[in-house]
Amino acid sequence: MDEVIQITKDIKSGNIKPIYFFMGEEPYYIDKLTEFIEDNVLQEHERDFNQTIIYGRDASIEDIVSTAKRFPMMADRQVVIVKEAQDLVKTIDKLESYIENPQPTTVLVFAYKYKTLDKRKKVTKLLAKNAVLFESKKLYENQVGDWIKRTLSGKGYSIEPKAAAMLVEFLGSDLSKISNELDKLKIILPKGHTFSPQDVEENIGISKDYNNFELRKAIGEKDQLKAYKIAEYFSQNPKDNPIVLTTGMVFGFFSQLLQYHGLKDKSKQNVASVLKVNPFFVKDYEVAFRNYPMKKVSIIIAVLRDIDVKSKGVGSNSIPQRDLLNEMLVKLFS
């Protein structure tokens, strides 16, 4: 994120490079940086004649280079943006000669999404030397909560840890989807507001009481009544609550709990660092630690592996989700 901020600062200050190559597994920042250049390098009245959008599937490298070598019309520079540039993967090496000698009055931008160039290739080394080469890396789910917090803080909002966890559970690590949902909340709620689980439930449609996060917590607390109520809700809404996701979340929790058992330093900050969780949630592991000895945790992990295999229909006929969830809870609480 610091690199993204620096790129935008440089452009705003007039330090504009002739080539920008944005690549990587996470499309969110690639799209944002491309949009920023599209909206900020040229003045509005200059764009009609000097801003060209090209799609990788519709053009060759030769077409792109030819366009990039044109001179601007009644402006200091032109902008050429190549969207979906990953479609040029087989011929991207042909860009080498242009990278070595780019047109100084052209800003050439590549949005190369979901992939990265081979860092051993000459074209990649040339881009690293002569252009702005930015790799947008996919965040792990345990990093997304902090990303949400930082993103909202920059816009004058904040969010409760549980509300952020609900968004991550429901949307995973797709930053574009999460950003869209946060935009909805920012439209509805005033600046300075702290987004709560209730806000998320009412405006995004994610239940604050019936979700995998709450199920995991109920299991950790050995709150059987609550766990069975959530499991029943999941059984009645299987499309919104697939058992594969549920077993994965619970399995992850007990795998981390096994790590927690082995820690000598069980301070909040160390646990959060080792388990890669928000410090707010460390208390859930403290409670589960008292309820589940290490030997029991090892048994539970084996049980969860078995339930996961059954849920995928391996080695057995199709078993209803309700039966599998109930079997899981019976074995966890026994």
Side-chain angles (χ1 to χ4, degrees):
M1 194 164 180
D2 290 342
E3 196 174 350
V4 173
I5 293 169
Q6 188 58 53
I7 291 170
T8 57
K9 277 185 177 178
D10 286 344
I11 292 171
K12 282 181 179 178
S13 67
N15 181 15
I16 300 171
K17 303 300 182 183
I19 303 173
Y20 291 85
F21 201 101
F22 307 134
M23 65 179 186
E25 294 293 323
E26 177 49 67
Y28 177 79
Y29 285 119
I30 296 173
D31 287 337
K32 288 295 181 186
L33 285 169
T34 303
E35 288 169 13
F36 182 83
I37 290 175
E38 197 171 340
D39 295 338
N40 290 276
V41 169
L42 297 178
Q43 295 183 42
E44 192 170 352
H45 70 273
E46 297 174 322
R47 292 175 196 155
D48 286 343
F49 295 108
N50 295 292
Q51 188 151 283
T52 306
I53 307 295
I54 299 172
Y55 287 86
R57 65 178 177 274
D58 300 327
S60 66
I61 294 294
E62 290 82 1
D63 295 332
I64 293 165
V65 169
S66 176
T67 303
K69 285 185 174 180
R70 293 186 317 205
F71 289 101
M73 294 180 63
M74 297 175 289
D76 292 333
R77 58 173 61 90
Q78 69 158 339
V79 174
V80 179
I81 297 173
V82 184
K83 295 186 176 182
E84 307 300 336
Q86 67 274 10
D87 290 334
L88 296 163
V89 61
K90 293 180 180 178
T91 57
I92 200 71
D93 291 345
K94 293 181 180 180
L95 195 62
E96 290 172 7
S97 60
Y98 182 82
I99 300 170
E100 289 176 321
N101 187 29
Q103 180 75 7
T105 55
T106 294
V107 179
L108 178 58
V109 183
F110 289 87
Y112 192 92
K113 298 195 286 190
Y114 313 112
K115 297 178 180 181
T116 57
L117 295 177
D118 187 336
K119 292 179 175 60
R120 297 167 296 180
K121 283 193 167 189
K122 182 181 177 182
V123 67
T124 315
K125 291 176 181 178
L126 285 171
L127 285 166
K129 181 181 177 183
N130 300 333
V132 174
L133 178 61
F134 167 72
E135 182 179 350
S136 184
K137 296 179 180 179
K138 196 88 173 170
L139 294 184
Y140 294 110
E141 285 200 4
N142 59 45
Q143 298 174 308
V144 178
D146 285 338
W147 178 86
I148 292 171
K149 184 179 176 182
R150 289 197 308 271
T151 300
L152 287 174
S153 177
K155 300 293 183 180
Y157 293 87
S158 56
I159 189 167
E160 293 180 21
K162 182 181 172 182
M166 289 166 63
L167 287 169
V168 176
E169 184 210 325
F170 190 68
L171 300 169
S173 59
D174 189 323
L175 301 188
S176 296
K177 286 184 179 178
I178 293 172
S179 180
N180 288 339
E181 297 302 334
L182 292 177
D183 286 343
K184 292 179 188 176
L185 293 175
K186 285 185 281 186
I187 290 169
I188 296 164
L189 299 164
K191 208 163 194 176
H193 186 80
T194 298
F195 298 146
S196 67
Q198 183 110 4
D199 295 327
V200 172
E201 180 176 52
E202 290 175 354
N203 298 294
I204 298 178
I206 307 170
S207 173
K208 66 180 175 62
D209 297 315
Y210 295 94
N211 55 63
N212 284 310
F213 171 75
E214 288 298 322
L215 176 64
R216 194 180 68 177
K217 186 177 179 183
I219 291 170
E221 294 173 349
K222 282 202 167 182
D223 187 340
Q224 297 189 37
L225 178 60
K226 183 178 178 180
Y228 278 105
K229 283 176 69 176
I230 295 171
E232 181 58 26
Y233 177 86
F234 285 1
S235 300
Q236 292 173 6
N237 302 274
K239 287 185 179 179
D240 294 332
N241 304 279
I243 190 169
V244 173
L245 181 59
T246 299
T247 53
M249 289 278 289
V250 178
F251 179 85
F253 177 72
F254 278 99
S255 296
Q256 289 172 313
L257 184 58
L258 194 62
Q259 279 185 283
Y260 183 91
H261 269 282
L263 291 178
K264 290 182 179 179
D265 180 1
K266 290 184 170 62
S267 65
K268 180 184 284 189
Q269 291 305 318
N270 186 60
V271 171
S273 174
V274 174
L275 301 189
K276 295 182 172 59
V277 298
N278 188 303
F280 177 84
F281 300 116
V282 169
K283 62 180 180 294
D284 295 342
Y285 295 89
E286 293 171 350
V287 172
F289 171 75
R290 294 193 291 271
N291 287 329
Y292 296 93
M294 183 179 281
K295 185 176 180 181
K296 177 64 176 176
V297 173
S298 299
I299 293 169
I300 285 173
I301 287 173
V303 166
L304 291 168
R305 285 196 178 116
D306 181 55
I307 296 292
D308 181 58
V309 167
K310 287 180 179 178
S311 72
K312 294 169 181 172
V314 180
S316 64
N317 295 325
S318 179
I319 302 173
Q321 178 162 315
R322 175 183 279 105
D323 293 346
L324 283 173
L325 286 170
N326 285 336
E327 180 185 345
M328 178 184 77
L329 292 178
V330 166
K331 290 180 176 178
L332 263 56
F333 290 133
S334 62

